[in-house]
Amino acid sequence: MPEPIRVVVTGAAGQISYSLLYMIAKGDVFGYEQPLILHLLDIPPMMDVLQGVVMELADCAIPLLREVIPTADPAVAFKDVSAAFLVGAMPRKQGMERKDLLSANVKIFKVQGEALDKYAKKDVKVLVVGNPANTNALICSKYAPSIPKENFTAMTRLDQNRAQAQVSAKIGVPVEQVSNVIIWGNHSSTQFPDASHAVVNLSGKQLTVAEVIKDDSWLRDTFVQIVQKRGAAVIAARKMSSALSAAKAATDHMRDWFQGTVYGKYVSMGVVSDGSYGVPKDLVFSFPVTIKNGQWSIVQGLTIDDFAKQKLAITGKELEEEKEEAVAIIQA
Ligand code: NAX
């Protein structure tokens, strides 16, 4: 068996982590032969709760889990880690303005970027889940200049999974028969879920989703809105935000990053923009990517019609505004 790798999960006492830690520990991300040392970071008031999580992990008796290190100290949490799941963030409280939320989180991700820069392995792969995920990932990367900016990503995989589930339900096939649904842009209500390049495998034949569904208004309107508002629908029903599905999406994202994507299929990840598809550079923007040897590449050459161009521009503009606000908060 290989040597254990160190993996940090922040917000480890929170509800997403409660599902995520088990999925990581049992091998869903790094493989069923890879032993792990889990570093669990949360804030000082949560240390008692975190102890409970540590006890439960021990009680799971997971063969791959060699050690669990709970801490409130970023220097301990980020030491020598190969992978970082940045889940912890300040939640939006009643009466809180978007700007206040951004302000609290920009500060958290600045501190964590600095700690990654100082203590983590230089090839650490970082997934930001905590909202606003795209801008938090950008800020984190800015404060970790010794780590390549390509190593900082934001999670839009939950949106992709939601989109894939909606398309497969509409067609009436298992989710695995649908692929290449894309999430463009921000993990927010301006994201653009795009099924125009998606394909479905029907009786061994690959067809485009558009030719099977044959309902343009569903694809351009209903589908887009269902996916954009799915998070709010879960909150309305559960009185809590998505947690199990968010944890599953985080494991999908990191597994594909470490283990690669299947030939011909792509996945969506918030990655630093290189200007592809006219998206402004230096934003963390969700693109379709393929992954090989731990490196992602943005899928090139997809046709973007005027409708899609407009949607990409809206979500890109929101990300530019978030970035400007974040920079102003840091400089203040
Ligand atoms: P919880 O409030 O249950 O847990 C968050 C945890 O983070 C708490 O234990 C808190 O003490 C901890 N925390 C706060 N500041 C911290 C810091 N500086 N260092 C370490 N830990 C810190 O939230 P949960 O439901 O688990 O959601 C976590 C984050 O994921 C939120 O920001 C949420 O908005 C975001 N989400 C992002 C999604 C995505 O697709 N990108 C989807 C799901 C989720 O809404």
Side-chain angles (χ1 to χ4, degrees):
M1 264 211 177
E3 284 297 300
I5 57 166
R6 293 176 182 272
V7 176
V8 62
V9 177
T10 75
Q15 57 149 2
I16 293 177
S17 294
Y18 194 69
S19 298
L20 176 62
L21 290 169
Y22 175 60
M23 296 176 189
I24 299 171
K26 72 184 173 65
D28 289 356
V29 179
F30 304 101
Y32 301 102
E33 297 289 320
Q34 177 60 61
L36 301 167
I37 298 173
L38 277 180
H39 295 202
L40 310 185
L41 180 71
D42 213 294
I43 52 177
M46 295 304 283
M47 286 302 107
D48 286 347
V49 175
L50 195 57
Q51 269 313 325
V53 175
V54 174
M55 283 189 249
E56 284 214 65
L57 280 170
D59 297 348
C60 287
I62 301 168
L64 291 174
L65 189 56
R66 296 297 155 85
E67 196 182 343
V68 180
I69 302 173
T71 181
D73 181 358
V76 175
F78 292 103
K79 182 80 182 138
D80 293 335
V81 293
S82 300
F85 292 81
L86 305 187
V87 182
M90 169 81 85
R92 190 168 190 159
K93 294 180 192 138
Q94 222 172 8
M96 209 173 180
E97 293 291 325
R98 206 175 134 266
K99 212 172 170 178
D100 301 331
L101 182 76
L102 192 66
S103 168
N105 283 306
V106 160
K107 286 172 195 151
I108 291 175
F109 284 85
K110 173 176 184 261
V111 169
Q112 296 189 351
E114 287 166 345
L116 280 159
D117 197 51
K118 213 162 161 190
Y119 303 109
K121 289 196 160 190
K122 294 301 167 205
D123 61 353
V124 61
K125 290 181 167 51
V126 182
L127 164 61
V128 177
V129 175
N131 279 319
N134 299 52
T135 300
N136 288 342
L138 185 71
I139 297 301
C140 200
S141 154
K142 298 280 180 217
Y143 285 92
S146 68
I147 297 167
K149 55 186 188 307
E150 289 75 19
N151 292 26
F152 291 82
T153 61
M155 186 166 98
T156 52
R157 185 60 171 264
L158 176 54
D159 308 296
Q160 179 197 311
N161 287 349
R162 286 167 172 165
Q164 194 178 337
Q166 289 300 322
V167 168
S168 64
K170 176 84 176 166
I171 300 175
V173 292
V175 274
E176 63 170 1
Q177 284 174 232
V178 173
S179 52
N180 298 358
V181 183
I182 300 170
I183 303 297
W184 299 94
N186 200 1
H187 169 70
S188 75
S189 57
T190 67
Q191 65 176 254
F192 173 39
D194 177 10
S196 65
H197 307 279
V199 290
V200 52
N201 209 317
L202 280 181
S203 324
K205 264 209 227 149
Q206 208 173 61
L207 303 171
T208 66
V209 160
E211 66 186 314
V212 175
I213 290 186
K214 293 192 183 85
D215 182 349
D216 236 30
S217 88
W218 187 85
L219 284 169
R220 288 186 168 212
D221 190 19
T222 314
F223 161 73
V224 171
Q225 286 199 32
I226 290 174
V227 178
Q228 285 176 338
K229 294 180 182 160
R230 186 68 165 182
V234 170
I235 293 176
R238 222 172 76 86
K239 315 289 177 250
M240 283 196 283
S241 56
S242 307
L244 177 64
S245 54
K248 160 66 166 51
T251 64
D252 287 344
H253 177 121
M254 243 356 169
R255 181 204 57 229
D256 287 347
W257 200 0
F258 272 80
Q259 302 191 24
T261 47
V262 176
Y263 179 77
K265 292 195 177 173
Y266 40 81
V267 294
S268 294
M269 274 167 67
V271 298
V272 64
S273 169
D274 61 354
S276 293
Y277 299 103
V279 172
K281 288 186 183 175
D282 198 33
L283 293 178
V284 170
F285 190 96
S286 182
F287 285 101
V289 301
T290 54
I291 303 162
K292 209 175 164 188
N293 301 325
Q295 311 287 325
W296 52 261
S297 324
I298 296 172
V299 175
Q300 297 296 333
L302 298 173
T303 310
I304 305 290
D305 63 14
D306 287 344
F307 172 76
K309 263 188 206 146
Q310 219 180 17
K311 295 278 186 195
L312 261 67
I314 292 170
T315 192
K317 185 165 178 282
E318 182 183 54
L319 280 168
E320 280 189 301
E321 286 167 5
E322 271 186 22
K323 178 179 158 185
E324 271 171 36
E325 283 175 40
V327 170
I329 288 161
I330 285 171
Q331 285 169 352

